[in-house]
Amino acid sequence: MSAVPLMSVEDLSVEFRTRHGVVRALERVGFSIARGETVGIVGESGSGKSVTAFTVLGLLPPAGRVTSGRAVFGGLDLLTASAGQLLEYRGRELSMIFQSPRTALNPIRPVGKQIADVLERHANLPRARRRDRVLELLARVQIPDPERRYHAYPFELSGGMCQRVMIALAVACSPALLIADEPTTGLDVTTQAGILDLLGDLSRTAGMATIMITHDLAVVAERCDRIVVMHAGHVVEQAPARTLFARPRHPYTARLLASTPRAGAKLADLTPIPGAVPDLRGETTPCRYRTRCERAAAVCDRPPLPREVVAPGHVVACARPL
Amino acid sequence: MALLRLAGRRLALAVPGLLGVIVVTFLLNRALPGDPAAFFAGPAATRQAIEEIRARLGLDKSVPEQFVYYVRDLARGDLGTSLTTGQPVLRDLATRLPASLELTLAGLALAVTVALPLGVLSATRPGSWVDHLARVVTTAGVSLPIFFTGLLLVYVFYFLLGWAPAPLGRLDAFSTAPRQVTGFFVVDAVLAHDGALAWAALRQLALPAVTLGLFAMAPIARMTRASMLGVLGSEFIRTARAAGLAPRTVLVTYALRNALLPVITLLGMVFSFLLGANVLVEKVFAWPGVGSYALEALIASDYAPVQGFVLLMATLYVFLNLTIDIVYGLVDPRVRIEA
């Protein structure tokens, strides 16, 4: 890992004001990503993976509020940057792809035009070159017959095809960081592999760092350098992928691994994680996994939540790690 | 190409509708109370005189026979003769239709120019003073009956303030109509390079157009707001923002174009409402349009103009809906494919 990370998120806390009180969606979240690195953020629904991504991009809905923390990207704190600065960064330096690609594209604008819009905004290309560049991009994300697809509308393309368009749109200006939020959810399995391979290819050839957000450990297992495990708005463990799979230290990570199907495993070997993501309204316990944890003890109720570096690059937020 | 096919198909689909309208208007008019022959013969007429008029009008024939004659005349472009004006109905309608269209289009244009930006503003700033103002204005616009708004405007701007001319038609007594090109006095006066006349016509048009506009504004502004709010919360707007597109591009090219789809449909409906609402507004402002013409004919049990009016409106609706379909197809590619 290089000395200066591409982006480092530190101490990030986010609250949502809802009709039923304040929800502390993120609490002191921290992780970093180096140039060209691929980091997986893993967790159940509601663990705060997507909120982290939206916060970094400045796309939190109006009800959300950053209460502490920094997200330093190339020397700029994205959380205190002006709207104008963020606009310059988004799409050019860091961009994002979403799940359900079909609805994430403008339904009444040809897909080629949508990519051209991004180029028009960020890339200093003459009008005539822009079209060629879009065709190049479509070819690069392996869309057959780019010339014809340029004029296609999202409803005329398959889900996988739309996700390829989405990727072309996101990498149009060769960003340094791409955040992929559940990029394969809702696609069929063969398409999933294709999309993930494409993302891996692009990041390798362009030296683009990638944050892969997913609830599926199997997806990130062989494709990520490092993995950040989130639970109920906390980062509970982060480690190099190999270490995490070989020797998880947080009870939640261990449970997550046990509930993920592997080759050669029997269905009976899969164990679900007991309980559900806790209610994050109002006051919460220091460790938010406490009520679901089989190792919970009195020490777990003592604030603050410890963050122990158990090995280089391996951090566990647990009072009684495995 | 797909668009032409769409237009052709919609046009073909309109034919049965028009046939239905012909039958219904005919029957409706026969079912109206009152005896036109007696009405036109006058109170002093003898029974024999009334019978003569009845025979001349063809009203002594059986209803199916009358219908056959009616359809035959229609096919020849003969809508009958008005008993009140003594003119062929077709000619009456042709001279009066531009007045109604001018008024309706002016009202609609006014409503759209105010309501669209108002709807967009209140959607981008929900809960702000613009939003509240929009809500008050639009609620007032729909809750007041249209003839009342008209009378109120006349009272304030003509009687109290004296800013508007007397509500007595399309031009004041001292002006003469411009040479007819479009039939819209304001446009024709401008084409004739007569600034003073254009101004005079515009002054006459202002109050009735505002009356119609106020009425039409409410649904357009509400629909724009609701539709904009929905679209602004959708995923592709988030994508556009994540790609760092300029806020203007996101708002206009991405959000507004999508938000306009239901508004276009609504515009067609509002236009139809306005054609109907015209009848009252024309009466209040002595506007010589087809609405007031039909109303007077109806009171006089004068069948032919009423039939002609309903037929004209039905035809207008058909073409209006066709236009809406085509515009919709231009904006939304998904509609083109279905055709």
Side-chain angles (χ1 to χ4, degrees), chain A residues 90 103-104 106 117 121-122, chain B residues 235 238-239 241 243-244 254 258:
Chain A
R90 282 204 293 259
T103 51
N106 188 341
D117 284 340
R121 172 83 178 92
H122 295 298
Chain B
E235 291 178 28
R238 198 178 57 189
T239 307
R241 285 195 178 131
Y254 280 69
N258 273 281

Side-chain angles (χ1 to χ4, degrees), chain A residues 54 57 59 87 90-91 94 96 98-100 103-109 114 117-118 121-122 153 155-156 166 169, chain B residues 234-247 249 253-255 257-258 261 331-337:
Chain A
F54 288 136
L57 279 171
L59 292 177
L87 271 179
R90 282 204 293 259
L94 67 167
M96 185 160 176
F98 302 91
Q99 53 181 319
S100 50
T103 51
L105 291 170
N106 188 341
I108 61 169
R109 199 164 174 77
Q114 298 190 44
D117 284 340
V118 182
R121 172 83 178 92
H122 295 298
Y153 292 93
F155 74 94
E156 294 169 315
M166 191 69 232
L169 191 146
Chain B
S234 66
E235 291 178 28
F236 67 88
I237 291 298
R238 198 178 57 189
T239 307
R241 285 195 178 131
L245 296 189
T249 316
T253 316
Y254 280 69
R257 265 197 68 185
N258 273 281
L261 295 175
V331 181
D332 191 341
R334 288 164 293 190
V335 175
R336 262 175 269 163
I337 300 303

Side-chain angles (χ1 to χ4, degrees), chain A:
Chain A
M1 219 195 310
S2 60
V4 179
L6 174 65
M7 180 172 79
S8 75
V9 175
E10 295 158 26
D11 208 22
L12 177 64
S13 303
V14 171
E15 291 181 350
F16 281 91
R17 279 166 294 127
T18 69
R19 208 169 289 181
H20 310 286
V22 173
V23 173
R24 301 209 168 96
L26 295 184
E27 200 171 65
R28 304 195 57 209
V29 164
F31 64 92
S32 64
I33 179 166
R35 266 185 195 284
E37 194 183 24
T38 300
V39 171
I41 300 185
V42 189
E44 289 163 276
S45 309
S47 59
K49 300 164 298 191
S50 300
V51 174
T52 309
F54 288 136
T55 309
V56 166
L57 279 171
L59 292 177
L60 269 185
R65 198 165 63 90
V66 176
T67 51
S68 79
R70 308 198 304 154
V72 182
F73 180 94
L76 176 79
D77 181 2
L78 297 171
L79 303 184
T80 55
S82 70
Q85 273 174 313
L86 270 183
L87 271 179
E88 288 305 315
Y89 266 65
R90 282 204 293 259
R92 199 177 67 187
E93 296 293 330
L94 67 167
S95 53
M96 185 160 176
I97 61 176
F98 302 91
Q99 53 181 319
S100 50
R102 230 182 240 284
T103 51
L105 291 170
N106 188 341
I108 61 169
R109 199 164 174 77
V111 293
K113 276 232 177 71
Q114 298 190 44
I115 300 174
D117 284 340
V118 182
L119 290 173
E120 185 184 353
R121 172 83 178 92
H122 295 298
N124 210 354
L125 279 177
R127 217 175 178 29
R129 280 278 300 125
R130 222 179 279 148
R131 204 189 126 83
D132 298 338
R133 177 88 180 108
V134 172
L135 295 180
E136 272 169 45
L137 282 162
L138 288 176
R140 205 163 120 206
V141 295
Q142 294 150 30
I143 287 182
D145 201 359
E147 195 76 45
R148 198 160 63 88
R149 303 290 187 224
Y150 183 98
H151 300 285
Y153 292 93
F155 74 94
E156 294 169 315
L157 301 176
S158 69
M161 207 67 103
C162 281
Q163 193 57 292
R164 285 174 192 276
V165 169
M166 191 69 232
I167 292 171
L169 191 146
V171 303
C173 302
S174 319
L177 173 64
L178 175 72
I179 302 177
D181 186 3
E182 307 260 6
T184 56
T185 306
L187 302 179
D188 63 56
V189 184
T190 43
T191 318
Q192 277 187 17
I195 294 289
L196 290 172
D197 289 345
L198 174 66
L199 282 173
D201 253 20
L202 287 171
S203 65
R204 249 193 317 283
T205 52
M208 178 178 68
T210 310
I211 293 179
M212 190 85 75
I213 296 176
T214 180
H215 60 269
D216 187 354
L217 264 179
V219 163
V220 291
E222 22 188 298
R223 291 184 164 89
C224 292
D225 302 312
R226 271 183 328 115
I227 290 173
V228 175
V229 182
M230 289 189 73
H231 174 263
H234 284 168
V235 170
V236 293
E237 182 166 11
Q238 49 181 312
R242 203 178 294 266
T243 319
L244 192 96
F245 280 97
R247 192 161 149 59
R249 299 296 300 274
H250 196 284
Y252 177 66
T253 314
R255 279 291 196 171
L256 207 55
L257 287 173
S259 68
T260 305
R262 280 173 313 275
K266 295 195 196 71
L267 192 61
D269 295 339
L270 294 180
T271 45
I273 306 175
V277 176
D279 187 355
L280 300 182
R281 285 174 288 179
E283 288 304 312
T284 48
T285 49
C287 173
R288 291 178 171 181
Y289 186 59
R290 193 200 183 302
T291 50
R292 305 170 77 183
C293 184
E294 68 271 33
R295 294 171 63 82
V299 67
C300 297
D301 291 323
R302 204 175 305 145
L305 180 68
R307 283 188 175 74
E308 199 189 333
V309 181
V310 292
H314 191 169
V315 186
V316 180
C318 182
R320 304 185 65 214
L322 291 164

